[in-house]
Amino acid sequence: MKVFSEKKEINTLVDAYKAERQTIGFVPTMGALHKGHLALIEKAIQDNDAVIVSIFVNPTQFNNAEDLEKYPRTLDEDIMLLETLSKDILVYAPTVDDIYEGKTTSEHFDFDGLEFEMEGKFRHGHFDGVATVVKRFFEIIKPDNAYFGEKDFQQLQIIKKLAEKYDIPVNIIGCKIHRETSGLAMSSRNTRLKPEYIKVAPVIYKRLKTAKTFFGTKSANWVTKWVENQFKNNELLKLEYFTIAEVDTLKPLKRKSKNKTYRAFIAVYADDIRLIDNIALN
Ligand code: PAF
């Protein structure tokens, strides 16, 4: 397995692939890889001649210093896991300096309002940080296809908008959420959950599934109130938001329209660990 830490090495490789008209698939990650990441990488392997996986805990997308500090960093285990998929995967694990060149700040982006909804309200500057690093990765790696999980559905929509607004010639491919058998959405943050929280956290997906059932006959407002009530007396899980939104604009649903597609989104604190999830409603 080849692991690179400098963009100039990646540039040389990318130039060689482009010269031979080989397609490049790119899977950006912050490491602490789990089965959800592996599914994205497997899809990238199927679709492309070469696959580059980045492993980089991006400081500019953390709006909380403690969250950044505690984010799991497991490069050796990650590389071992990737080797079980294919030894041909190329890993780009840069330093902060290789990406930010001494200026660890975000660019400011306008995503036509997508950035102000849900996560944008609670994690100020988060999407500017994500878009800054993903745009840099796109410039360095020049992928034909890039793969993102639907667990971060708002991020996926924002990256599609980034590619569209900046005319970046890359197909953005969304892949479905991978879940533990308990229903809990897979996330690198799950490794930090204490046993009592692992036990209760599956309730998040359970509530989403029930909300989906109710959505067939009840208003968005009714379903939202119902979910909020379910979490009211929960000692361990603290609801930050539950929102039903239209998928293209991510604006909260006011009145249902037959030809629109909706999803329910949720963010919950389990101890100091923030978990997010979502479900397609129609
Ligand atoms: O989804 C993530 O893990 C990160 O936001 C990403 C896309 C790798 C950018 O740092």
Side-chain angles (χ1 to χ4, degrees):
M1 167 109 4
K2 291 200 181 99
V3 183
F4 302 93
S5 60
E6 289 186 30
K7 62 174 166 293
K8 60 173 194 279
E9 301 168 302
I10 295 286
N11 285 148
T12 314
L13 270 172
V14 166
D15 288 349
Y17 285 125
K18 296 280 166 194
E20 288 176 20
R21 296 190 181 278
Q22 306 249 28
T23 56
I24 300 174
F26 172 48
V27 184
T29 82
M30 297 209 296
L33 301 181
H34 51 67
K35 284 194 192 127
H37 293 114
L38 298 190
L40 300 181
I41 298 164
E42 275 174 333
K43 171 112 184 77
I45 292 173
Q46 276 166 22
D47 294 351
N48 300 276
D49 297 315
V51 171
I52 301 180
V53 173
S54 64
I55 298 181
F56 179 63
V57 180
N58 172 34
T60 63
Q61 72 186 74
F62 285 82
N63 48 329
N64 175 330
E66 199 184 325
D67 193 23
L68 170 61
E69 190 202 313
K70 288 193 175 156
Y71 201 85
R73 288 161 172 89
T74 56
L75 185 60
D76 292 343
E77 285 98 313
D78 290 345
I79 290 169
M80 272 175 354
L81 256 182
L82 291 175
E83 273 179 341
T84 65
L85 289 188
S86 159
K87 296 216 182 335
D88 296 331
I89 296 167
L90 303 162
V91 178
Y92 178 35
T95 57
V96 170
D97 237 30
D98 196 54
I99 293 292
Y100 285 101
E101 298 174 345
K103 199 166 168 263
T104 317
T105 52
S106 302
E107 279 179 56
H108 182 64
F109 294 88
D110 171 359
F111 293 121
D112 299 342
L114 292 177
E115 70 277 34
F116 300 129
E117 305 298 334
M118 301 179 294
E119 293 297 285
K121 291 198 178 113
F122 293 93
R123 302 188 70 190
H124 294 288
H126 169 67
F127 288 120
D128 277 341
V130 170
T132 300
V133 79
V134 171
K135 185 162 160 274
R136 286 206 188 162
F137 279 133
F138 285 168
E139 285 158 4
I140 297 165
I141 293 168
K142 303 183 183 71
D144 297 276
N145 301 301
Y147 300 80
F148 294 82
E150 286 186 345
K151 186 174 81 69
D152 297 293
F153 193 86
Q154 187 171 9
Q155 167 174 282
L156 170 65
Q157 298 302 66
I158 282 179
I159 300 298
K160 284 183 183 163
K161 187 69 86 183
L162 172 79
E164 184 191 305
K165 282 208 152 180
Y166 286 81
D167 266 333
I168 305 173
V170 56
N171 298 315
I172 305 299
I173 297 163
C175 301
K176 70 174 179 45
I177 301 174
H178 272 253
R179 298 184 180 281
E180 305 291 351
T181 37
S182 66
L184 178 64
M186 287 189 186
S187 161
S188 304
R189 287 192 166 85
N190 293 354
T191 57
R192 292 186 48 223
L193 288 171
K194 293 188 196 124
E196 65 266 38
Y197 289 93
I198 293 181
K199 222 160 140 193
V200 296
V203 104
I204 299 169
Y205 182 51
K206 244 172 134 178
R207 296 292 177 255
L208 284 180
K209 283 196 299 186
T210 312
K212 179 177 176 135
T213 309
F214 281 139
F215 186 73
T217 52
K218 309 275 190 197
S219 71
N221 194 28
W222 190 97
V223 179
T224 306
K225 289 266 161 346
W226 180 83
V227 174
E228 286 171 356
N229 273 327
Q230 296 305 303
F231 281 94
K232 254 190 190 131
N233 298 320
N234 197 315
E235 296 284 306
L236 294 175
L237 301 176
K238 299 288 159 219
L239 180 69
E240 187 166 62
Y241 67 78
F242 171 86
T243 306
I244 293 178
E246 193 265 313
V247 295
D248 292 328
T249 60
L250 299 180
K251 292 248 173 296
L253 163 61
K254 296 234 163 64
R255 195 157 0 113
K256 283 185 208 171
S257 159
K258 275 216 173 75
N259 41 24
K260 291 210 165 136
T261 310
Y262 303 105
R263 265 180 122 91
F265 298 84
I266 194 165
V268 169
Y269 271 97
D271 206 3
D272 62 338
I273 299 154
R274 193 166 177 279
L275 302 173
I276 60 170
D277 202 348
N278 66 83
I279 193 168
L281 295 176
N282 62 340

